[in-house]
């Protein structure tokens, strides 16, 4: 990496248009959805720094610390590129130079911020310039730095003030996940090293070596599956348990209120379905905000809270028996709609004067599972027969004799099998047959 400079002399005769444009976008940065911040920031900086890619590495987001935005769709940049560049950038001081991005040396501009004091590292923004061009002036560099400080400070405030308990839990979970993943890597390395040691040993006969290798592989798989289960426990919650935690957190809020809480947990057939931890946290936070807003109305005596899982979505419905005059604006203080939108969720308010209000928060649980496709379905009957012989370790001559065909025909069938299965060797094709058997 070759930094050229961090500061340059002011540019004479500079107009105010780029600054005014950036300031106009600043309001959008703090009022828009969280998932639109990086595209909006990229648009605001573009007049000052024409760029093809904007990428960020945040220090406070446990779920998606690395984000990339590119109008062209060709965003060849990896988190390792930003991690290598990070130590060169001083928070508050814009960095300009060349760096290897996506395997190619390119001109970049980078800024780091101290506006997120609880972050593990200063959040970093990297812009891949369209062309090397002239260095930015102090004035333009300060605008870029201030906009990045605005973004990081805004995110940090939302994370800290909105749900501090959830933030702490998210960080704790992220740290534990990192430890589990590291242990998985070490277990993989140890298992492979042990297997290679057995297979390379000159003191073991083939049969004894295979037996020892099988024992090692089985023990390693048991250990790895246990660690994988532990990793899943950290990132997912059964729907029934997630709802029980919600109920426990709501009861103290209205303990001394005349409002009675009623709970309807997920139905039995979906109670054990896994819900991603961030989705469960956000749904609980949204429901708490809705309950508090509803309980503050005059005449409310009952609030009903229900969770359902429908069409791969978590649907949280909160209904009261109040005057039925609430609108979406009543929940703006808690930014419920914006926070749901950050994970692709929606908020619907149905108020009926004299009968009460029903608010529904919907969050996607992920894409619906697609039906399993049999990779062998595209093989012709004769190709399937040849694959069966490959799986038994037979050579082309043996296969030809068994099927009463020529060796050249066997080679033709083997080539078709490899192409249709998308594999490069006979062993991989045989392994695929064993996997689906």
């Amino acid at each position: 990496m070759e930094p050229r400079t961090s500061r340059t002399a002011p540019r004479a005769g500079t107009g105010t248009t780029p600054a005014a444009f950036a300031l106009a976008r600043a309001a959008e940065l703090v009022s828009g959805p969280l998932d639109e911040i990086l595209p909006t920031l990229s648009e605001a900086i573009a007049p000052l720094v024409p760029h093809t890619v904007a990428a960020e590495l945040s220090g406070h987001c446990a779920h998606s610390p690395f984000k990339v935005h590119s109008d062209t769709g060709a965003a060849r940049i990896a988190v390792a590129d930003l991690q290598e560049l990070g130590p060169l950038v001083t928070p508050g001081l814009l960095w300009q130079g060349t760096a290897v991005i996506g395997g190619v040396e390119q001109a970049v501009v980078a800024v780091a911020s101290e506006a997120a004091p609880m972050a593990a590292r200063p959040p970093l923004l990297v812009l891949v310039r369209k062309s090397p061009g002239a260095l930015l002036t102090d004035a333009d560099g300060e605008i870029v730095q201030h906009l990045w400080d605005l973004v990081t400070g805004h995110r940090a405030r939302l994370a800290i003030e909105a749900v501090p308990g959830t933030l702490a839990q998210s960080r704790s979970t992220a740290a534990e996940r990192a430890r589990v993943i590291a242990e998985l890597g070490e277990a993989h390395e140890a298992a492979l090293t042990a297997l290679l040691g057995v297979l390379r040993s000159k003191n073991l006969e083939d049969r004894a070596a295979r037996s020892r290798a099988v024992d090692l592989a089985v023990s390693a798989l048991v250990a790895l599956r246990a660690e994988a289960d532990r990793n899943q426990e950290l990132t997912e919650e059964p729907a029934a348990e997630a709802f029980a935690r919600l109920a426990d957190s709501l009861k103290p809020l209205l303990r001394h209120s005349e409002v009675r809480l009623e709970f309807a947990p997920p139905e039995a057939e979906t109670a054990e379905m896994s819900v991603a931890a961030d989705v469960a946290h956000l749904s609980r936070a949204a429901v708490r905000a809705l309950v508090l807003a509803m309980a503050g109305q005059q005449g409310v005596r009952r609030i009903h809270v229900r969770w359902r899982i429908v069409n791969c979505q978590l649907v949280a419905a909160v209904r009261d028996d109040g005057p039925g005059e609430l609108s979406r604006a009543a929940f703006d203080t808690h930014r419920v709609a914006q926070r749901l939108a950050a994970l692709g969720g929606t908020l619907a308010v149905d108020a009926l004067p004299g009968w009460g209000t029903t608010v529904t928060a919907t969050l996607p649980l992920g894409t619906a599972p697609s039906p399993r496709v049999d990779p062998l379905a595209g093989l012709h009957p004769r190709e399937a027969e040849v694959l069966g012989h490959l799986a038994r370790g037979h050579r082309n001559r043996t296969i030809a004799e068994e099927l009463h065909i020529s060796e050249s025909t066997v080679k033709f069938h083997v080539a078709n099998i490899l192409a249709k299965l998308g594999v490069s060797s006979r062993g991989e094709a045989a392994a695929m047959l064993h996997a689906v058997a």
Side-chain angles (χ1 to χ4, degrees):
M1 297 187 182
E2 300 178 359
R4 293 182 286 183
T5 184
S6 294
R7 294 294 188 195
T8 58
R11 185 176 60 196
T14 301
T16 59
T17 301
F21 181 83
L23 288 174
R25 293 294 179 273
E28 298 178 20
L29 289 172
V30 298
S31 61
L34 290 177
D35 57 347
E36 291 296 325
I37 284 183
L38 187 58
T40 303
L41 178 64
S42 175
E43 182 182 0
I45 294 176
L48 304 173
V49 187
H51 55 277
T52 58
V53 179
E56 65 169 284
L57 187 62
S58 302
H60 63 274
C61 180
H63 299 292
S64 53
F66 176 61
K67 299 183 180 71
V68 178
H69 171 70
S70 172
D71 289 334
T72 62
R76 293 188 61 227
I77 186 168
V79 64
D81 298 330
L82 272 65
Q83 288 174 332
E84 185 175 352
L85 185 58
L88 304 179
V89 185
T90 301
L93 190 63
L94 181 136
W95 188 93
Q96 305 180 70
T98 58
V100 176
I101 302 295
V104 180
E105 188 171 3
Q106 303 188 62
V108 301
V109 170
V111 286
S113 175
E114 293 181 323
M118 295 184 65
R121 69 181 72 86
L124 178 69
L125 174 69
V126 175
L127 306 169
V128 180
R129 304 186 69 170
K130 289 185 176 180
S131 59
L135 298 176
L136 268 69
T137 64
D138 281 354
D140 290 348
E142 287 175 359
I143 293 175
V144 175
Q145 181 70 59
H146 289 324
L147 283 173
W148 184 233
D149 288 341
L150 174 69
V151 167
T152 56
H154 174 58
R155 284 177 172 164
R157 182 185 63 80
L158 287 179
I160 295 170
E161 295 181 6
V163 200
T166 299
L167 177 66
Q169 186 176 31
S170 177
R171 286 182 174 165
S172 175
T173 298
E176 180 66 11
R177 284 199 68 203
R179 186 178 66 81
V180 170
I181 291 171
E183 291 178 358
L184 283 170
E186 293 172 359
H188 274 290
E189 181 180 6
L192 291 174
T193 301
L195 286 172
L196 285 174
V198 170
L199 296 175
R200 290 173 174 172
S201 176
K202 297 180 180 180
N203 300 322
L204 294 174
E205 296 180 356
D206 287 350
R207 185 171 183 178
R210 285 197 298 272
S211 177
R212 184 76 60 84
V214 168
D215 289 341
L216 287 170
V218 169
S219 298
L221 282 174
V222 170
L224 290 174
R225 285 171 180 169
E227 293 296 327
D229 289 342
R230 197 147 57 93
N231 182 45
Q232 183 176 2
E233 291 174 359
L234 293 170
T235 57
E236 297 179 350
E237 301 178 52
E241 293 183 13
F243 184 83
R245 294 179 61 186
L246 169 65
D248 291 340
S249 68
L250 288 176
K251 291 172 184 176
L253 298 180
L254 303 181
R255 179 174 298 165
H256 303 291
S257 170
E258 296 181 357
V259 178
R260 185 176 77 258
L261 281 172
E262 298 176 352
F263 298 101
E267 297 174 352
E269 56 267 27
T270 60
E272 296 304 317
M273 289 184 62
S274 295
V275 178
D278 54 349
V279 172
H281 294 331
L282 180 54
S283 184
R284 284 192 291 262
V287 169
R288 283 194 294 267
L290 298 177
V291 168
L292 287 174
M294 289 178 165
Q297 302 174 93
Q298 292 292 331
V300 174
R301 293 291 178 266
R302 181 174 58 86
I303 295 179
H304 183 85
V305 179
R306 182 185 184 187
W307 268 17
R308 292 182 300 141
I309 295 180
V310 183
N311 297 329
C312 209
Q313 292 181 319
L314 176 59
V315 181
V318 184
R319 185 178 72 251
D320 67 29
D321 60 352
E325 298 173 354
L326 283 179
S327 65
R328 288 176 63 93
F331 310 106
D332 286 349
T333 302
H334 300 279
R335 301 179 62 85
V336 177
Q338 292 90 333
R339 291 162 67 188
L340 291 171
L343 290 185
T346 59
L347 183 72
V349 180
D350 183 14
L352 186 61
W355 291 91
T357 303
T358 299
V359 184
T360 305
T362 303
L363 281 166
L365 296 177
T367 56
S370 57
R372 183 180 178 183
V373 178
D374 184 357
L376 309 181
L379 300 181
H380 294 306
R382 177 64 81 181
E383 292 169 345
E385 287 183 293
V386 172
L387 179 57
H389 285 281
L390 293 180
R392 292 193 290 274
H394 292 172
R395 298 295 181 183
N396 287 354
R397 178 176 296 179
T398 303
I399 298 174
E401 293 174 353
E402 292 286 338
L403 299 180
H404 305 289
I405 57 179
S406 66
E407 285 191 50
S408 61
T409 302
V410 173
K411 293 179 181 179
F412 175 77
H413 286 317
V414 170
N416 284 343
I417 291 169
L418 299 183
K420 290 181 178 181
L421 298 183
V423 296
S424 58
S425 70
R426 301 159 68 100
E428 290 182 55
M432 184 173 290
L433 176 61
H434 288 305
V436 300

